[in-house]
């Protein structure tokens, strides 16, 4: 691992602002997630809000050629689902909306699941487990611990619930760049003995499958689905390592966890 940036007080100030804005987009979009709306319409609403209300820009639009402003990953889509006018939401669907914005040169990245209409028991449980796996990881983060304790915490819990963790995609450092060191693996591993330090900022974003962990990228070059077509769920936060725990920079008021965790 090369260069893990420790953010200055000034940079942290900017990252708090960027984080709050990304969280606000998830709050804003909630009321639009209804039967028959297309993922393209959700994209347009978020895009306009980010540009006009937030005076910010989407970090996704144009990123390695990505064509839209948000990712909308429905049911068996694991991540990077491309909003599409032909894709209309229906009761029972589970959808991850992933918001990445740039404000004043600083990035933030957060996602959550929404369930339409009447949730299936499996869909609801999968979303709950994905969110709890993120929260369990956030509750062990503090200076001095090895970074691989994050993946250990997530995968041991998820396996106990009889779901599986996607291995191909990971969390990432974030700041003046979308994706920086370190990589945050969400599964049990030994290859990372990096020790967390105050001032590190990174995402934790476990992708959890109801079936097998394997994934497959579609021909559009972006959309990633479960290979066995089982449901998949993801939650993501951008966090700051503090002197005694962590601070959730993309915290939403509705959440059942504290914004500032003393661990
Ligand atoms: N938001 C994703 C992440 O969590 C990255 C999406 S890149 C895009 O890292 F191009 F697909 F938008
Ligand atoms: Co991310
Ligand atoms: Co993201």
């Amino acid at each position: 691992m090369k260069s893990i940036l420790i953010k200055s007080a000034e940079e942290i100030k900017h990252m708090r602002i960027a984080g709050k804005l990304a969280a606000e987009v998830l709050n804003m979009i909630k009321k639009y997630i209804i039967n028959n709306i297309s993922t393209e319409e959700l994209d347009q609403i978020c895009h306009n809000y980010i540009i006009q209300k937030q005076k910010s820009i989407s970090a996704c639009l144009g990123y390695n050629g990505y064509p839209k402003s948000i990712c909308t990953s429905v049911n068996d889509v694991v991540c990077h689902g491309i909003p599409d006018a032909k894709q209309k939401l229906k009761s029972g669907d589970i959808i991850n909306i992933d918001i990445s914005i740039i404000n004043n040169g600083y990035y933030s990245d957060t996602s959550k699941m929404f369930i339409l209409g009447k949730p299936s028991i499996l869909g609801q449980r999968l979303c709950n487990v994905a969110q709890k796996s993120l929260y369990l990881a956030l509750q062990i983060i503090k200076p001095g611990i090895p970074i691989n304790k994050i993946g250990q915490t997530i995968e041991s819990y998820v396996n106990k619930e009889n779901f599986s963790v996607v291995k191909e995609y990971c969390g990432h450092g974030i700041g003046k760049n979308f994706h920086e060191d370190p990589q945050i693996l969400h599964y049990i591993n030994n290859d990372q003995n990096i020790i967390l330090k105050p001032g590190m900022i990174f995402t934790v974003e476990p992708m959890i499958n109801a079936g097998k962990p394997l994934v497959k990228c579609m021909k559009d070059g972006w959309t990633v689905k479960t290979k066995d077509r089982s449901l998949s769920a993801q939650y993501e936060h951008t966090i700051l390592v503090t002197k005694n725990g962590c601070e959730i920079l993309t915290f939403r008021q509705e959440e059942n966890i504290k914004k500032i965790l003393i661990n």
Side-chain angles (χ1 to χ4, degrees), residues 18-254:
K20 190 157 185 256
L21 290 168
E24 275 169 16
V25 180
L26 287 178
N27 288 334
M28 178 282 298
I29 199 61
K30 182 174 177 177
K31 67 170 180 285
Y32 297 100
I33 302 184
I34 54 168
N35 283 344
N36 230 24
I37 193 157
S38 70
T39 50
E40 162 91 24
E41 288 170 281
L42 296 176
D43 180 75
Q44 280 165 5
I45 296 163
C46 291
H47 177 84
N48 291 337
Y49 188 83
I50 292 165
I51 301 279
Q52 288 160 17
K53 286 258 170 43
Q54 300 193 321
K55 310 290 177 213
S56 302
I57 50 178
S58 159
C60 297
L61 187 61
Y63 175 76
N64 290 338
Y66 186 77
K68 298 287 175 178
S69 296
I70 63 173
C71 296
T72 49
S73 302
V74 181
N75 295 336
D76 61 351
V77 177
V78 173
C79 63
H80 305 164
I82 304 175
D84 179 352
K86 296 189 297 292
Q87 182 182 42
K88 302 214 166 161
L89 299 179
K90 57 179 193 312
S91 182
D93 281 350
I94 63 170
I95 176 173
N96 174 279
I97 299 197
D98 195 337
I99 304 293
S100 314
I101 64 124
I102 315 170
N103 178 268
N104 205 2
Y106 291 84
Y107 286 73
S108 67
D109 191 3
T110 185
S111 81
K112 64 167 280 196
M113 300 301 298
F114 296 88
I115 307 185
L116 274 102
K118 189 172 154 35
S120 73
I121 290 175
L122 179 66
Q124 182 72 65
R125 192 169 79 85
L126 184 68
C127 293
N128 292 350
V129 168
Q131 185 172 46
K132 188 164 170 196
S133 77
L134 170 61
Y135 286 175
L136 288 173
L138 300 187
Q139 283 160 347
I140 57 98
I141 292 176
K142 61 178 171 186
I145 68 153
I147 211 163
N148 64 12
K149 197 165 171 196
I150 296 172
Q152 166 73 48
T153 302
I154 291 169
E155 192 175 28
S156 55
Y157 166 65
V158 169
N159 288 352
K160 200 182 75 196
E161 294 289 337
N162 285 312
F163 293 141
S164 64
V165 176
V166 171
K167 312 272 185 312
E168 285 83 350
Y169 300 89
C170 53
H172 48 91
I174 181 167
K176 282 184 181 142
N177 309 288
F178 199 171
H179 297 104
E180 299 178 352
D181 283 339
Q183 289 194 10
I184 309 294
L185 306 183
H186 303 117
Y187 55 92
I188 297 165
N189 70 90
N190 277 320
D191 43 83
Q192 290 181 302
N193 51 9
I194 298 162
I195 302 296
L196 294 185
K197 291 195 179 63
M200 288 180 177
I201 296 184
F202 53 79
T203 73
V204 184
E205 48 180 302
M207 282 147 260
I208 308 303
N209 296 349
K212 299 241 154 59
L214 292 184
V215 302
K216 189 170 177 271
C217 189
M218 299 296 105
K219 287 203 191 81
D220 62 22
W222 285 102
T223 309
V224 176
K225 290 189 178 182
T226 56
K227 205 172 164 199
D228 63 7
R229 297 293 155 96
S230 64
L231 291 177
S232 188
Q234 178 181 29
Y235 282 79
E236 174 175 24
H237 271 311
T238 299
I239 67 111
L240 162 72
V241 181
T242 59
K243 67 176 193 302
N244 53 11
C246 71
E247 176 177 335
I248 305 173
L249 300 178
T250 48
F251 178 80
R252 303 180 306 282
Q253 216 55 255
E254 63 170 10

